[in-house]
Amino acid sequence: METTVTNLFGATLQSVNVNSGSDRRHFERRLKSLERDVLRMGALVENSFRLSHQALFARNLEVAKELPLLDKQIDRFYKQIEIECAALLTSESPVAQDLRLLSAFMQLVRDLERIGDYAEDLAEIAIKLFPYPPHRCVPQIEEMSHHAQAMLATSLVALADLDADAGKAVKRLDDFVDDAYQVLYQTLATERDIKGVVEPILLLALVIRHIERMADHATNIGQRVAYIVTGHRS
């Protein structure tokens, strides 16, 4: 009788251990799938930034029309990722590092979603600017946009590689964009002898503000990558 109980007890324990291992493997598969979705969302956002740049500086209104559809795709990823993060956070399998990764992902996709929103706004501004001749500040604004795009690309590579140093480096790159914003804002704000309407000046001021905010969100993504890897907030 005792042997039977021991055997039954041993079998039960073995069953529990197998189930526990199976649960963990299932959790890890879901986590890997989530990571891929975050990177896919990042690729869509990177593309939306690139298209908004073309709309503004190549004056390509055809690509401007693509942004609303692209933004809908980004929003779908955002909602899907948030739901999956919440589901994994409330499951029984996460360990401390998983919790850090999931909480960082929930914040990081908000940054990505905001960059996508700004890209769509820039495309709308490009359409409004199209009837006006290019302003003399456009080459400097274009350089500012290129730099912000490079920051986003760097932060996404850091995320794909889980490279804390690359994530932290994005913050140092932000100084160029901040400085460019200050110089361009002063130039636009002190514009004199404006011929015709002031709308293009106001729209360009909005453009540089959007680009500056996009760079800030790229910086946030880099910092969140560093937090995922190190567990320390900078």
Side-chain angles (χ1 to χ4, degrees):
M1 186 74 171
E2 186 177 38
T3 304
T4 305
V5 171
T6 302
N7 286 343
L8 286 172
F9 188 60
T12 302
L13 278 177
Q14 185 179 19
S15 175
V16 169
N17 289 337
V18 168
N19 288 339
S20 177
S22 176
D23 287 347
R24 180 62 198 175
R25 285 193 295 273
H26 178 65
F27 178 90
E28 288 174 350
R29 283 195 296 271
R30 288 177 67 183
L31 196 58
K32 277 292 178 190
S33 177
L34 179 66
E35 290 171 3
R36 287 193 293 270
D37 282 346
V38 172
L39 290 173
R40 288 189 189 106
M41 181 181 175
L44 287 174
V45 171
E46 193 171 12
N47 190 36
S48 71
F49 199 163
R50 181 181 61 81
L51 291 177
S52 69
H53 181 98
Q54 289 180 18
L56 273 169
F57 304 109
R59 298 169 71 84
N60 186 337
L61 298 192
E62 288 306 309
V63 299
K65 295 171 185 175
E66 296 177 32
L67 267 294
L69 180 59
L70 193 52
D71 191 57
K72 283 186 173 62
Q73 293 177 275
I74 291 167
D75 287 344
R76 279 197 295 271
F77 263 110
Y78 173 53
K79 290 172 186 173
Q80 173 188 322
I81 290 167
E82 273 208 325
I83 290 168
E84 181 66 358
C85 281
L88 290 174
L89 281 168
T90 55
S91 72
E92 296 180 3
S93 299
V95 296
Q97 189 172 358
D98 299 328
L99 295 173
R100 190 166 73 224
L101 179 66
L102 290 167
S103 63
F105 275 173
M106 291 184 80
Q107 295 172 320
L108 186 151
V109 293
R110 279 196 286 271
D111 288 308
L112 286 173
E113 193 268 342
R114 290 302 297 136
I115 294 173
D117 285 345
Y118 283 125
E120 185 179 20
D121 290 344
L122 288 176
E124 291 175 3
I125 292 172
I127 293 170
K128 292 176 182 176
L129 279 171
F130 188 78
Y132 301 105
H135 189 274
R136 60 190 175 86
C137 284
V138 165
Q140 294 99 302
I141 299 174
E142 184 174 8
E143 185 181 4
M144 181 184 177
S145 176
H146 272 308
H147 203 86
Q149 286 181 78
M151 290 173 63
L152 176 59
T154 301
S155 69
L156 291 173
V157 170
L159 176 61
D161 297 339
L162 286 183
D163 185 338
D165 291 335
K168 292 175 184 175
V170 181
K171 184 174 177 59
R172 294 193 290 274
L173 298 173
D174 194 39
D175 291 341
F176 176 92
V177 175
D178 287 341
D179 291 345
Y181 173 76
Q182 293 298 331
V183 170
L184 286 163
Y185 181 83
Q186 279 301 115
T187 301
L188 293 169
T190 57
E191 188 87 14
R192 291 183 173 83
D193 301 323
I194 299 172
K195 296 177 181 178
V197 296
V198 298
E199 185 183 32
I201 303 297
L202 297 174
L203 290 172
L204 288 174
L206 201 54
V207 166
I208 62 172
R209 179 58 177 160
H210 284 358
I211 294 172
E212 191 266 342
R213 292 299 298 135
M214 293 163 96
D216 285 345
H217 286 293
T219 300
N220 289 346
I221 294 168
Q223 290 179 313
R224 298 192 203 291
V225 171
Y227 170 68
I228 289 169
V229 177
T230 66
H232 300 294
R233 297 187 186 276
S234 55

PDB file of all heavy atoms in Angstrom, residues 115-138:
ATOM      1  N   ILE A 115       5.628  58.013 -33.040  1.00  0.00           N
ATOM      2  CA  ILE A 115       6.422  58.367 -34.224  1.00  0.00           C
ATOM      3  C   ILE A 115       5.589  58.166 -35.483  1.00  0.00           C
ATOM      4  O   ILE A 115       5.614  58.993 -36.409  1.00  0.00           O
ATOM      5  CB  ILE A 115       7.719  57.530 -34.291  1.00  0.00           C
ATOM      6  CG1 ILE A 115       8.646  57.891 -33.116  1.00  0.00           C
ATOM      7  CG2 ILE A 115       8.453  57.774 -35.613  1.00  0.00           C
ATOM      8  CD1 ILE A 115       9.876  57.002 -33.001  1.00  0.00           C
ATOM      9  N   GLY A 116       4.837  57.069 -35.536  1.00  0.00           N
ATOM     10  CA  GLY A 116       3.953  56.829 -36.678  1.00  0.00           C
ATOM     11  C   GLY A 116       2.908  57.920 -36.839  1.00  0.00           C
ATOM     12  O   GLY A 116       2.609  58.351 -37.962  1.00  0.00           O
ATOM     13  N   ASP A 117       2.350  58.363 -35.713  1.00  0.00           N
ATOM     14  CA  ASP A 117       1.368  59.457 -35.765  1.00  0.00           C
ATOM     15  C   ASP A 117       1.991  60.738 -36.312  1.00  0.00           C
ATOM     16  O   ASP A 117       1.386  61.431 -37.141  1.00  0.00           O
ATOM     17  CB  ASP A 117       0.799  59.731 -34.368  1.00  0.00           C
ATOM     18  CG  ASP A 117      -0.198  58.669 -33.927  1.00  0.00           C
ATOM     19  OD1 ASP A 117      -0.659  57.887 -34.775  1.00  0.00           O
ATOM     20  OD2 ASP A 117      -0.515  58.626 -32.723  1.00  0.00           O
ATOM     21  N   TYR A 118       3.190  61.052 -35.844  1.00  0.00           N
ATOM     22  CA  TYR A 118       3.871  62.260 -36.328  1.00  0.00           C
ATOM     23  C   TYR A 118       4.181  62.149 -37.819  1.00  0.00           C
ATOM     24  O   TYR A 118       4.095  63.142 -38.550  1.00  0.00           O
ATOM     25  CB  TYR A 118       5.159  62.506 -35.544  1.00  0.00           C
ATOM     26  CG  TYR A 118       4.959  63.096 -34.170  1.00  0.00           C
ATOM     27  CD1 TYR A 118       5.481  62.485 -33.033  1.00  0.00           C
ATOM     28  CD2 TYR A 118       4.239  64.281 -33.990  1.00  0.00           C
ATOM     29  CE1 TYR A 118       5.299  63.022 -31.767  1.00  0.00           C
ATOM     30  CE2 TYR A 118       4.054  64.829 -32.730  1.00  0.00           C
ATOM     31  CZ  TYR A 118       4.583  64.194 -31.622  1.00  0.00           C
ATOM     32  OH  TYR A 118       4.402  64.728 -30.366  1.00  0.00           O
ATOM     33  N   ALA A 119       4.558  60.951 -38.267  1.00  0.00           N
ATOM     34  CA  ALA A 119       4.846  60.766 -39.693  1.00  0.00           C
ATOM     35  C   ALA A 119       3.597  61.036 -40.533  1.00  0.00           C
ATOM     36  O   ALA A 119       3.676  61.684 -41.586  1.00  0.00           O
ATOM     37  CB  ALA A 119       5.355  59.338 -39.940  1.00  0.00           C
ATOM     38  N   GLU A 120       2.460  60.558 -40.063  1.00  0.00           N
ATOM     39  CA  GLU A 120       1.208  60.828 -40.784  1.00  0.00           C
ATOM     40  C   GLU A 120       0.910  62.326 -40.793  1.00  0.00           C
ATOM     41  O   GLU A 120       0.492  62.886 -41.820  1.00  0.00           O
ATOM     42  CB  GLU A 120       0.054  60.068 -40.143  1.00  0.00           C
ATOM     43  CG  GLU A 120      -1.246  60.209 -40.923  1.00  0.00           C
ATOM     44  CD  GLU A 120      -2.406  59.444 -40.311  1.00  0.00           C
ATOM     45  OE1 GLU A 120      -2.342  59.119 -39.113  1.00  0.00           O
ATOM     46  OE2 GLU A 120      -3.380  59.178 -41.033  1.00  0.00           O
ATOM     47  N   ASP A 121       1.153  62.998 -39.664  1.00  0.00           N
ATOM     48  CA  ASP A 121       0.939  64.452 -39.601  1.00  0.00           C
ATOM     49  C   ASP A 121       1.860  65.186 -40.579  1.00  0.00           C
ATOM     50  O   ASP A 121       1.442  66.148 -41.235  1.00  0.00           O
ATOM     51  CB  ASP A 121       1.196  64.964 -38.178  1.00  0.00           C
ATOM     52  CG  ASP A 121       0.133  64.510 -37.189  1.00  0.00           C
ATOM     53  OD1 ASP A 121      -0.945  64.068 -37.631  1.00  0.00           O
ATOM     54  OD2 ASP A 121       0.386  64.590 -35.972  1.00  0.00           O
ATOM     55  N   LEU A 122       3.114  64.729 -40.673  1.00  0.00           N
ATOM     56  CA  LEU A 122       4.059  65.370 -41.596  1.00  0.00           C
ATOM     57  C   LEU A 122       3.603  65.217 -43.048  1.00  0.00           C
ATOM     58  O   LEU A 122       3.786  66.135 -43.853  1.00  0.00           O
ATOM     59  CB  LEU A 122       5.459  64.769 -41.420  1.00  0.00           C
ATOM     60  CG  LEU A 122       6.212  65.152 -40.138  1.00  0.00           C
ATOM     61  CD1 LEU A 122       7.536  64.404 -40.059  1.00  0.00           C
ATOM     62  CD2 LEU A 122       6.448  66.659 -40.050  1.00  0.00           C
ATOM     63  N   ALA A 123       3.020  64.077 -43.367  1.00  0.00           N
ATOM     64  CA  ALA A 123       2.508  63.879 -44.734  1.00  0.00           C
ATOM     65  C   ALA A 123       1.363  64.846 -45.027  1.00  0.00           C
ATOM     66  O   ALA A 123       1.261  65.391 -46.137  1.00  0.00           O
ATOM     67  CB  ALA A 123       2.047  62.431 -44.904  1.00  0.00           C
ATOM     68  N   GLU A 124       0.509  65.072 -44.037  1.00  0.00           N
ATOM     69  CA  GLU A 124      -0.591  66.034 -44.212  1.00  0.00           C
ATOM     70  C   GLU A 124      -0.044  67.449 -44.395  1.00  0.00           C
ATOM     71  O   GLU A 124      -0.555  68.229 -45.216  1.00  0.00           O
ATOM     72  CB  GLU A 124      -1.521  65.977 -43.001  1.00  0.00           C
ATOM     73  CG  GLU A 124      -2.324  64.689 -42.900  1.00  0.00           C
ATOM     74  CD  GLU A 124      -3.140  64.610 -41.628  1.00  0.00           C
ATOM     75  OE1 GLU A 124      -3.121  65.585 -40.840  1.00  0.00           O
ATOM     76  OE2 GLU A 124      -3.799  63.576 -41.411  1.00  0.00           O
ATOM     77  N   ILE A 125       1.003  67.775 -43.655  1.00  0.00           N
ATOM     78  CA  ILE A 125       1.625  69.097 -43.796  1.00  0.00           C
ATOM     79  C   ILE A 125       2.264  69.234 -45.179  1.00  0.00           C
ATOM     80  O   ILE A 125       2.211  70.306 -45.801  1.00  0.00           O
ATOM     81  CB  ILE A 125       2.677  69.311 -42.683  1.00  0.00           C
ATOM     82  CG1 ILE A 125       1.985  69.418 -41.315  1.00  0.00           C
ATOM     83  CG2 ILE A 125       3.499  70.576 -42.953  1.00  0.00           C
ATOM     84  CD1 ILE A 125       2.952  69.426 -40.137  1.00  0.00           C
ATOM     85  N   ALA A 126       2.865  68.151 -45.670  1.00  0.00           N
ATOM     86  CA  ALA A 126       3.489  68.181 -47.004  1.00  0.00           C
ATOM     87  C   ALA A 126       2.462  68.557 -48.078  1.00  0.00           C
ATOM     88  O   ALA A 126       2.767  69.322 -49.005  1.00  0.00           O
ATOM     89  CB  ALA A 126       4.108  66.820 -47.315  1.00  0.00           C
ATOM     90  N   ILE A 127       1.255  68.045 -47.936  1.00  0.00           N
ATOM     91  CA  ILE A 127       0.189  68.365 -48.892  1.00  0.00           C
ATOM     92  C   ILE A 127      -0.169  69.851 -48.813  1.00  0.00           C
ATOM     93  O   ILE A 127      -0.366  70.522 -49.841  1.00  0.00           O
ATOM     94  CB  ILE A 127      -1.048  67.481 -48.627  1.00  0.00           C
ATOM     95  CG1 ILE A 127      -0.708  66.013 -48.941  1.00  0.00           C
ATOM     96  CG2 ILE A 127      -2.242  67.948 -49.456  1.00  0.00           C
ATOM     97  CD1 ILE A 127      -1.758  65.021 -48.487  1.00  0.00           C
ATOM     98  N   LYS A 128      -0.221  70.390 -47.590  1.00  0.00           N
ATOM     99  CA  LYS A 128      -0.553  71.814 -47.413  1.00  0.00           C
ATOM    100  C   LYS A 128       0.568  72.724 -47.900  1.00  0.00           C
ATOM    101  O   LYS A 128       0.325  73.841 -48.376  1.00  0.00           O
ATOM    102  CB  LYS A 128      -0.840  72.099 -45.938  1.00  0.00           C
ATOM    103  CG  LYS A 128      -2.114  71.439 -45.429  1.00  0.00           C
ATOM    104  CD  LYS A 128      -2.296  71.687 -43.930  1.00  0.00           C
ATOM    105  CE  LYS A 128      -3.548  70.993 -43.412  1.00  0.00           C
ATOM    106  NZ  LYS A 128      -3.694  71.129 -41.933  1.00  0.00           N
ATOM    107  N   LEU A 129       1.824  72.253 -47.793  1.00  0.00           N
ATOM    108  CA  LEU A 129       2.965  73.067 -48.213  1.00  0.00           C
ATOM    109  C   LEU A 129       3.179  73.047 -49.726  1.00  0.00           C
ATOM    110  O   LEU A 129       3.846  73.937 -50.282  1.00  0.00           O
ATOM    111  CB  LEU A 129       4.247  72.568 -47.532  1.00  0.00           C
ATOM    112  CG  LEU A 129       4.506  73.024 -46.099  1.00  0.00           C
ATOM    113  CD1 LEU A 129       5.690  72.251 -45.512  1.00  0.00           C
ATOM    114  CD2 LEU A 129       4.785  74.529 -46.045  1.00  0.00           C
ATOM    115  N   PHE A 130       2.643  72.052 -50.393  1.00  0.00           N
ATOM    116  CA  PHE A 130       2.947  71.826 -51.807  1.00  0.00           C
ATOM    117  C   PHE A 130       2.723  73.055 -52.696  1.00  0.00           C
ATOM    118  O   PHE A 130       3.548  73.333 -53.582  1.00  0.00           O
ATOM    119  CB  PHE A 130       2.124  70.637 -52.333  1.00  0.00           C
ATOM    120  CG  PHE A 130       2.502  70.222 -53.712  1.00  0.00           C
ATOM    121  CD1 PHE A 130       3.644  69.469 -53.950  1.00  0.00           C
ATOM    122  CD2 PHE A 130       1.727  70.603 -54.817  1.00  0.00           C
ATOM    123  CE1 PHE A 130       4.002  69.094 -55.245  1.00  0.00           C
ATOM    124  CE2 PHE A 130       2.079  70.236 -56.099  1.00  0.00           C
ATOM    125  CZ  PHE A 130       3.214  69.476 -56.317  1.00  0.00           C
ATOM    126  N   PRO A 131       1.645  73.827 -52.502  1.00  0.00           N
ATOM    127  CA  PRO A 131       1.429  74.981 -53.398  1.00  0.00           C
ATOM    128  C   PRO A 131       2.454  76.100 -53.231  1.00  0.00           C
ATOM    129  O   PRO A 131       2.567  76.967 -54.110  1.00  0.00           O
ATOM    130  CB  PRO A 131       0.025  75.484 -52.993  1.00  0.00           C
ATOM    131  CG  PRO A 131      -0.606  74.358 -52.242  1.00  0.00           C
ATOM    132  CD  PRO A 131       0.517  73.653 -51.566  1.00  0.00           C
ATOM    133  N   TYR A 132       3.197  76.093 -52.119  1.00  0.00           N
ATOM    134  CA  TYR A 132       4.130  77.189 -51.857  1.00  0.00           C
ATOM    135  C   TYR A 132       5.536  76.831 -52.345  1.00  0.00           C
ATOM    136  O   TYR A 132       5.934  75.662 -52.337  1.00  0.00           O
ATOM    137  CB  TYR A 132       4.195  77.492 -50.359  1.00  0.00           C
ATOM    138  CG  TYR A 132       2.868  77.866 -49.760  1.00  0.00           C
ATOM    139  CD1 TYR A 132       2.155  76.968 -48.959  1.00  0.00           C
ATOM    140  CD2 TYR A 132       2.307  79.127 -49.981  1.00  0.00           C
ATOM    141  CE1 TYR A 132       0.936  77.311 -48.393  1.00  0.00           C
ATOM    142  CE2 TYR A 132       1.078  79.476 -49.429  1.00  0.00           C
ATOM    143  CZ  TYR A 132       0.403  78.568 -48.640  1.00  0.00           C
ATOM    144  OH  TYR A 132      -0.814  78.909 -48.088  1.00  0.00           O
ATOM    145  N   PRO A 133       6.316  77.836 -52.757  1.00  0.00           N
ATOM    146  CA  PRO A 133       7.710  77.554 -53.131  1.00  0.00           C
ATOM    147  C   PRO A 133       8.510  77.114 -51.903  1.00  0.00           C
ATOM    148  O   PRO A 133       8.211  77.534 -50.779  1.00  0.00           O
ATOM    149  CB  PRO A 133       8.212  78.910 -53.667  1.00  0.00           C
ATOM    150  CG  PRO A 133       7.301  79.928 -53.058  1.00  0.00           C
ATOM    151  CD  PRO A 133       5.970  79.267 -52.893  1.00  0.00           C
ATOM    152  N   PRO A 134       9.523  76.265 -52.085  1.00  0.00           N
ATOM    153  CA  PRO A 134      10.307  75.798 -50.933  1.00  0.00           C
ATOM    154  C   PRO A 134      10.970  76.957 -50.194  1.00  0.00           C
ATOM    155  O   PRO A 134      11.519  77.876 -50.818  1.00  0.00           O
ATOM    156  CB  PRO A 134      11.355  74.874 -51.565  1.00  0.00           C
ATOM    157  CG  PRO A 134      10.762  74.469 -52.876  1.00  0.00           C
ATOM    158  CD  PRO A 134       9.950  75.633 -53.336  1.00  0.00           C
ATOM    159  N   HIS A 135      10.923  76.902 -48.873  1.00  0.00           N
ATOM    160  CA  HIS A 135      11.548  77.932 -48.037  1.00  0.00           C
ATOM    161  C   HIS A 135      13.059  77.715 -48.014  1.00  0.00           C
ATOM    162  O   HIS A 135      13.553  76.598 -48.194  1.00  0.00           O
ATOM    163  CB  HIS A 135      10.963  77.839 -46.625  1.00  0.00           C
ATOM    164  CG  HIS A 135      11.344  78.962 -45.728  1.00  0.00           C
ATOM    165  ND1 HIS A 135      12.501  78.975 -44.985  1.00  0.00           N
ATOM    166  CD2 HIS A 135      10.700  80.130 -45.446  1.00  0.00           C
ATOM    167  CE1 HIS A 135      12.556  80.090 -44.276  1.00  0.00           C
ATOM    168  NE2 HIS A 135      11.474  80.815 -44.532  1.00  0.00           N
ATOM    169  N   ARG A 136      13.794  78.789 -47.758  1.00  0.00           N
ATOM    170  CA  ARG A 136      15.267  78.688 -47.744  1.00  0.00           C
ATOM    171  C   ARG A 136      15.783  77.773 -46.628  1.00  0.00           C
ATOM    172  O   ARG A 136      16.912  77.283 -46.675  1.00  0.00           O
ATOM    173  CB  ARG A 136      15.890  80.081 -47.598  1.00  0.00           C
ATOM    174  CG  ARG A 136      15.501  80.821 -46.330  1.00  0.00           C
ATOM    175  CD  ARG A 136      15.958  82.277 -46.355  1.00  0.00           C
ATOM    176  NE  ARG A 136      15.495  83.022 -45.203  1.00  0.00           N
ATOM    177  CZ  ARG A 136      16.126  83.081 -44.036  1.00  0.00           C
ATOM    178  NH1 ARG A 136      17.273  82.422 -43.875  1.00  0.00           N
ATOM    179  NH2 ARG A 136      15.636  83.804 -43.037  1.00  0.00           N
ATOM    180  N   CYS A 137      14.952  77.502 -45.603  1.00  0.00           N
ATOM    181  CA  CYS A 137      15.370  76.638 -44.491  1.00  0.00           C
ATOM    182  C   CYS A 137      15.197  75.147 -44.780  1.00  0.00           C
ATOM    183  O   CYS A 137      15.636  74.309 -43.983  1.00  0.00           O
ATOM    184  CB  CYS A 137      14.566  76.963 -43.226  1.00  0.00           C
ATOM    185  SG  CYS A 137      15.075  78.460 -42.394  1.00  0.00           S
ATOM    186  N   VAL A 138      14.563  74.834 -45.892  1.00  0.00           N
ATOM    187  CA  VAL A 138      14.225  73.434 -46.169  1.00  0.00           C
ATOM    188  C   VAL A 138      15.451  72.503 -46.147  1.00  0.00           C
ATOM    189  O   VAL A 138      15.372  71.402 -45.587  1.00  0.00           O
ATOM    190  CB  VAL A 138      13.443  73.310 -47.490  1.00  0.00           C
ATOM    191  CG1 VAL A 138      13.389  71.863 -47.981  1.00  0.00           C
ATOM    192  CG2 VAL A 138      12.021  73.835 -47.299  1.00  0.00           C
TER     193      VAL A 138
END
